Amino acid sequence: KNQVEQSPQSLIILEGKNCTLQCNYTVSPFSNLRWYKQDTGRGPVSLTIMTFSENTKSNGRYTATLDADTKQSSLHITASQLSDSASYICVVSDRGSTLGRLYFGRGTQLTVWP
Amino acid sequence: EADIYQTPRYLVIGTGKKITLECSQTMGHDKMYWYQQDPGMELHLIHYSYGVNSTEKGDLSSESTVSRIRTEHFPLTLESARPSHTSQYLCASSTGEWTEAFFGQGTRLTVV
């Protein structure tokens, strides 16, 4: 069964600190992995997208890593800001269908305190 | 910023009413999706479309229906709303599996 598991479920950090969010998946055959940021009550916004051959991708203070062999990804946030408070969702796409189905994790709820 | 729009953002209606949630995108994307998301839970695919006149049901059983008469427009209709339909509905579009999936802001539906 294709699944995406994220940890931790929730995380509280102080402003200015770094943090790392984890994503494990069993989706096969793998196409790509995306990290989204979702503010409360709004739609997800893409942070990074990585294909099989990519190990690292950065977007400002966000750096995502991918290990396709162990089927793990992480999202590292550097020098956190209050505006980083949101849910971070790991999404994995398969290439077993023409649709390129998306499998969603439940997200990690990040809260940044001043 | 992605050019995909959902209306209304918030909707409170009575049981038994018929409603249509609108979704439009100006990017010319062939693939469009409707997801349902309860608070703190993952998104569940309820409908998708490969293109005009193509619609399919997703993983999560839903009493809603969709249509795709134009590329840019993918409305979702509930013929008779029930309290169990209370949820957030997210529309998305993409050009293919290698590209980004862009999401709308969502419609928060409450059925009383």
Side-chain angles (χ1 to χ4, degrees), chain A residues 31-32 34 36 38 41-44 46 48-49 51 89 93-95 97-102 104-106, chain B residues 9-10 31 33 35 37 40-43 45 48 50 59 88 90 96-101 103-106:
Chain A
S31 175
N32 57 61
R34 316 157 194 231
Y36 283 87
Q38 185 177 23
R42 304 181 81 85
S46 178
T48 64
I49 178 170
T51 59
I89 305 172
S93 175
D94 73 10
R95 51 183 174 86
S97 65
T98 55
L99 179 66
R101 294 290 295 271
L102 302 179
F104 291 80
R106 291 191 174 186
Chain B
R9 285 292 314 279
Y10 304 94
K31 297 180 179 179
Y33 318 79
Y35 292 90
Q37 183 183 33
M41 302 297 286
E42 65 266 47
L43 281 73
L45 181 69
Y48 60 95
Y50 292 122
D59 303 319
Q88 174 162 256
L90 289 161
E97 66 177 275
W98 297 106
T99 66
E100 296 285 358
F103 285 84
Q105 295 281 38

Side-chain angles (χ1 to χ4, degrees), chain B residues 1-104:
Chain B
E1 191 169 320
D3 295 323
I4 180 165
Y5 307 100
Q6 289 185 242
T7 58
R9 285 292 314 279
Y10 304 94
L11 180 62
V12 181
I13 61 168
T15 298
K17 299 292 185 182
K18 177 181 179 179
I19 59 167
T20 296
L21 308 185
E22 301 289 349
C23 177
S24 296
Q25 50 96 5
T26 59
M27 298 172 282
H29 289 170
D30 290 326
K31 297 180 179 179
M32 296 189 74
Y33 318 79
W34 275 104
Y35 292 90
Q36 185 173 340
Q37 183 183 33
D38 292 322
M41 302 297 286
E42 65 266 47
L43 281 73
H44 291 285
L45 181 69
I46 51 175
H47 296 284
Y48 60 95
S49 169
Y50 292 122
V52 172
N53 294 324
S54 159
T55 62
E56 300 286 345
K57 288 190 178 293
D59 303 319
L60 184 66
S61 175
S62 175
E63 295 164 344
S64 58
T65 59
V66 293
S67 63
R68 191 87 183 277
I69 299 173
R70 304 198 314 266
T71 298
E72 62 271 21
H73 197 212
F74 191 40
L76 181 146
T77 299
L78 276 167
E79 291 292 334
S80 179
R82 296 207 303 267
S84 60
H85 296 139
T86 295
S87 188
Q88 174 162 256
Y89 293 85
L90 289 161
C91 179
S93 73
S94 73
T95 57
E97 66 177 275
W98 297 106
T99 66
E100 296 285 358
F102 295 95
F103 285 84

